[in-house]
Amino acid sequence: METSPFLPLPEGMLIGQVELTAAQLTVEVISTQPFAHCPGCGSPSDHVHCQYQRRVHDVPCGGRHVVLRLCVRKFVCRTATCPRKVFAERLPELVQPWARVSTRLLEELQAVGLSASAEVSERLAPRLGMQVKASTLLRYLRAIPPPSDAPVRVLGIDDFALRRADCYGTILVNLETGRPLDLLPDRTADAVLPWLKRHQEIDVVSRDRASAYADAVKRALPHATQIADRYHLVQNLREHLQRFLDRKRTCLPQIEDIPLQAVSTSDQGLGGSVNDQMDTVTSNVSAGSSQTERTDQPLETVQPELPQELMGREMELTCLTYAERKKKISRDKRPARYEQVLALHRAGMGQRAIGRSLQMSRRIVQRFLTADAFPERAPGSGLRAPGKSKLDPYLEYLRACWNAGEHSGSRLFCEIKERGYTGSASLLRHVLGEWRTELPPKPRQGPPRKLRLVPRPRKRRLSSRGAAFLMILSPSKLTKVQQQQVEQMNLNEDLHAVYPLSPGVCHHAQRTPGGGIGLLAHASQSVPCERTGQLC
């Protein structure tokens, strides 16, 4: 065999024997170059000294690992002054000297390593027919030569934390290409100054508000224009807005500490529907009143009027005991689950899938689907389970005392304790609790109980920091509640005059394509720094 379209080889290389197994393909590659150049002096030589074999891993083929068995020769250098007497021929198009992987396999592994982390690439490589360790892959990535030094016209400079609040460094980015240029171990002017002096071609420097960077750029690049990036422009704007709003605290709207959400009563049981509808009514009334009142006046508390249906349900629950209320709420939730199971079954979902999605037992799902109507639970008999209890010998005496009007559990417990009862008081309270349900309800003593549906959320003024963020955000990114708060702020004349100016500055700030640091498109959009007076 000489050549193969499935295994392209450079000129002067031929294919010899081929060994095929279930997982590996071994190919013998023979070099037929008439001469080789000495790597020391560069002179050609055709004097063969000896031959040896190299095993090199290549890109996979047909799902099998490919191993090249290279038959390489050694030549004698004919230059008498050359320190190398014997050298091996080089095959730069196929494999690098002393490498165990071919050049094309190395490029494939580097591409995989650049696309994901080393650990992920180690797990992914076997699926692609390659084998590599994470440490080996990192060594391959470090061997990638850095890009050529192109002239930098627009430079982005900012600090980064090596150790937060303790040690910081400086990152330099070419904003036209979006590539990092260098990392410096400090963020002082002395650390940045030598690098800037070596790049006099820089015309524009986008930096943060640090005076150290401003001083370094002024000394090293006096001709360069210093501008602020988009992030620091918006930060400057927000801080000035916050100072302004600190003096206008009475004009800011009132907000509730508890976020309110409108929830439909059809999606929840009776226990949560009353509270949720109360929140919805309260939020609607608060939103309506905030649009009609002036913000410079204190907001009045408006008591919402509840629907008659909610009032009736709450009154019904108030008249029940805790156990009865809990039982009724639990019962009202079960028909909703029954309707959910039927709806999912009509949609084509299986019983197991319905049970997993609703976190129900498959037997309960099957019982719901096979029933003609909603299956009510069987009523309890009210009788205790058969079995002996320590309280059984004293039940007749307890019943006589109970009928005589003695309903105090502690007194009854002391009496049967004197008669030889050795059980616990909780067992007695359990029996007396069942008997108390048979008693007629006692009239409530004292003033009538107040109707309490849900505690009203406390209200507070919107902070100046939060209001500043609302003013710099784009109107399209605001929620409905935030839009109502902005409308309420605009009712004040001073805030209404400032708000239209805020989004305009944010919209003029643009990002350069691919830039890691935001950069203004033109130097005329920069602003002077408060401390240095330079453009910032």
Side-chain angles (χ1 to χ4, degrees), residues 66-264:
V66 177
V67 178
L68 302 180
R69 190 168 63 240
L70 301 180
C71 297
V72 187
R73 296 166 295 175
K74 291 185 177 182
F75 291 85
V76 177
C77 183
R78 295 184 180 276
T79 304
T81 58
C82 181
R84 291 202 176 192
K85 303 302 180 183
V86 179
F87 63 91
E89 61 178 329
R90 301 300 197 255
L91 306 173
E93 299 181 359
L94 181 61
V95 63
Q96 299 297 323
W98 299 288
R100 296 185 179 181
V101 295
S102 63
T103 303
R104 51 195 175 198
L105 179 57
L106 178 62
E107 294 175 353
E108 294 292 334
L109 292 175
Q110 289 176 345
V112 174
L114 292 174
S115 302
S117 64
E119 297 292 341
V120 174
S121 301
E122 181 181 353
R123 297 191 296 266
L124 179 62
R127 301 287 298 178
L128 303 178
M130 299 176 285
Q131 295 287 344
V132 65
K133 293 293 184 181
S135 58
T136 305
L137 187 59
L138 290 176
R139 187 172 68 251
Y140 291 161
L141 295 179
R142 295 190 186 102
I144 299 178
S148 59
D149 295 335
V152 183
R153 192 185 68 85
V154 182
L155 175 69
I157 180 171
D158 203 349
D159 57 359
F160 68 96
L162 294 169
R163 186 175 181 182
R164 188 176 179 89
D166 182 38
C167 184
Y168 289 85
T170 300
I171 181 173
L172 303 167
V173 180
N174 185 351
L175 294 184
E176 291 184 324
T177 60
R179 291 181 175 273
L181 299 175
D182 203 349
L183 296 177
L184 304 180
D186 203 350
R187 59 176 178 179
T188 60
D190 296 335
V192 181
L193 192 60
W195 194 95
L196 295 178
K197 288 183 177 179
R198 296 194 303 267
H199 297 80
Q200 294 296 320
E201 72 277 7
I202 297 176
D203 296 331
V204 180
V205 178
S206 171
R207 60 173 181 83
D208 63 3
R209 301 177 296 176
S211 58
Y213 294 151
D215 181 57
V217 175
K218 184 179 179 180
R219 290 161 54 188
L221 304 172
H223 62 280
T225 303
Q226 301 183 38
I227 63 176
D229 56 27
R230 180 177 184 269
Y231 170 79
H232 291 96
L233 272 181
V234 177
Q235 187 178 17
N236 283 341
L237 171 65
R238 187 194 59 76
E239 290 181 356
H240 283 80
L241 283 175
Q242 185 173 350
R243 297 173 191 168
F244 171 74
L245 293 173
D246 284 335
R247 302 190 298 269
K248 301 289 183 180
R249 288 281 299 170
T250 58
C251 303
L252 300 180
Q254 289 187 348
I255 60 175
E256 297 177 353
D257 289 342
I258 304 176
L260 303 179
Q261 297 180 356
V263 182
S264 175

Side-chain angles (χ1 to χ4, degrees), residues 205-365:
V205 178
S206 171
R207 60 173 181 83
D208 63 3
R209 301 177 296 176
S211 58
Y213 294 151
D215 181 57
V217 175
K218 184 179 179 180
R219 290 161 54 188
L221 304 172
H223 62 280
T225 303
Q226 301 183 38
I227 63 176
D229 56 27
R230 180 177 184 269
Y231 170 79
H232 291 96
L233 272 181
V234 177
Q235 187 178 17
N236 283 341
L237 171 65
R238 187 194 59 76
E239 290 181 356
H240 283 80
L241 283 175
Q242 185 173 350
R243 297 173 191 168
F244 171 74
L245 293 173
D246 284 335
R247 302 190 298 269
K248 301 289 183 180
R249 288 281 299 170
T250 58
C251 303
L252 300 180
Q254 289 187 348
I255 60 175
E256 297 177 353
D257 289 342
I258 304 176
L260 303 179
Q261 297 180 356
V263 182
S264 175
T265 56
S266 62
D267 297 337
Q268 296 187 355
L270 182 60
S273 60
V274 177
N275 296 340
D276 296 335
Q277 294 191 20
M278 177 63 185
D279 290 345
T280 305
V281 174
T282 307
S283 60
N284 293 337
V285 173
S286 301
S289 61
S290 62
Q291 297 178 0
T292 56
E293 297 181 357
R294 297 280 297 178
T295 55
D296 52 359
Q297 299 177 357
L299 295 178
E300 298 180 358
T301 304
V302 180
Q303 182 67 26
E305 295 183 1
L306 296 178
Q308 192 66 26
E309 182 181 358
L310 293 181
M311 295 289 293
R313 292 180 182 178
E314 184 65 19
M315 292 297 297
E316 181 182 358
L317 292 177
T318 306
C319 299
L320 300 178
T321 62
Y322 174 77
E324 294 173 346
R325 186 187 304 114
K326 186 176 180 181
K327 182 177 180 181
K328 181 173 179 56
I329 292 174
S330 175
R331 191 270 171 202
D332 292 339
K333 288 182 179 180
R334 290 197 297 271
R337 300 293 296 275
Y338 174 73
E339 296 296 336
Q340 282 183 302
V341 171
L342 295 183
L344 293 178
H345 180 68
R346 287 192 293 266
M349 187 177 294
Q351 296 182 10
R352 294 181 182 273
I354 294 174
R356 286 193 298 266
S357 61
L358 300 181
Q359 297 182 355
M360 299 173 57
S361 171
R362 187 170 61 89
R363 293 185 178 181
I364 299 179
V365 175

